[in-house]
Amino acid sequence: MAEPRVPGSRDSALELPCGEHADTHDLHLGMREFDCACGGTHAVVLDPHPLARFVPEFLVEVLQATVEPSDDHDEFTTVHLLGVVMEEFPDSVAVADTSEDGAVGYSMAWVTEFDSRRLHEIVVELLVELMEHAVSHAEDDAVMDEFEAQMLEFDVATFVDEYRAERDFEDRHDSAV
């Protein structure tokens, strides 16, 4: 019989971008960030966290209807979103595959070098780039011009402040207030 995983054991330790370690058993669905022994605050994202944690539901619906993942998933998910973040910031994101660990309530965990607010800004910036890329393929100059005009008026930091104020980030469901 295999021995159960013990919190704090080597197989549940995740090396963070700062060099410290976090125990995957200490990460949970209600967690959005934690204060680290390095002195910094790190964002935490788990695969069950909804995309609506970062953007409104209507935009989640658009992303899920238009972005076709090239993997087993039927739609664009948090897994894909964090993949994009990791692609842009490969040394700033630690990832743990906990799919074999029945003691945690998730399959994937990402811990970033930055806090949850900065991660939120990065995610929004990357989604804007993704949308801009998609609009550029529409081959409609009027649509591209309209999108660019709207983006000139869009302030990521203001959006993140307002969005975070409208949501309940203390609840594991990230529901709108």
Side-chain angles (χ1 to χ4, degrees):
M1 181 168 125
E3 290 187 37
R5 286 190 167 161
V6 177
S9 68
R10 201 177 91 219
D11 59 353
S12 66
L14 173 61
E15 184 174 354
L16 305 176
C18 65
E20 294 291 335
H21 289 83
D23 188 330
T24 57
H25 293 100
D26 292 337
L27 306 178
H28 55 81
L29 293 175
M31 184 178 273
R32 301 296 174 258
E33 63 184 16
F34 68 90
D35 294 327
C36 181
C38 75
T41 301
H42 302 298
V44 175
V45 180
L46 306 175
D47 62 307
H49 287 157
L51 288 171
R53 169 181 175 179
F54 300 105
V55 293
E57 283 82 358
F58 79 87
L59 186 53
V60 170
E61 291 172 10
V62 169
L63 289 167
Q64 291 176 335
T66 57
V67 178
E68 293 183 28
S70 60
D71 59 15
D72 297 1
H73 292 86
D74 294 331
E75 59 189 21
F76 189 77
T77 67
T78 300
V79 173
H80 301 103
L81 181 60
L82 268 292
V84 173
V85 173
M86 287 180 63
E87 195 171 294
E88 288 294 317
F89 300 93
D91 297 329
S92 299
V93 182
V95 63
D97 179 348
T98 60
S99 57
E100 300 288 323
D101 187 348
V104 297
Y106 54 89
S107 295
M108 298 290 293
W110 298 267
V111 178
T112 68
E113 177 181 318
F114 11 83
D115 65 16
S116 64
R117 188 185 186 300
R118 178 63 186 130
L119 174 62
H120 198 158
E121 287 179 343
I122 288 168
V123 163
V124 171
E125 291 165 357
L126 292 172
L127 288 174
V128 167
E129 287 179 22
L130 179 68
M131 291 185 299
E132 183 177 30
H133 180 75
V135 168
S136 73
H137 286 285
E139 297 179 10
D140 184 335
D141 291 340
V143 170
M144 187 62 184
D145 291 344
E146 175 66 21
F147 181 81
E148 287 178 355
Q150 289 177 2
M151 288 303 100
L152 287 174
E153 296 176 20
F154 182 70
D155 182 82
V156 171
T158 300
F159 168 81
V160 168
D161 286 341
E162 290 175 3
Y163 193 71
R164 292 171 76 85
E166 292 177 13
R167 306 226 22 126
D168 177 8
F169 285 103
E170 300 305 316
D171 184 284
R172 67 185 174 126
H173 300 290
D174 280 342
S175 59
V177 175

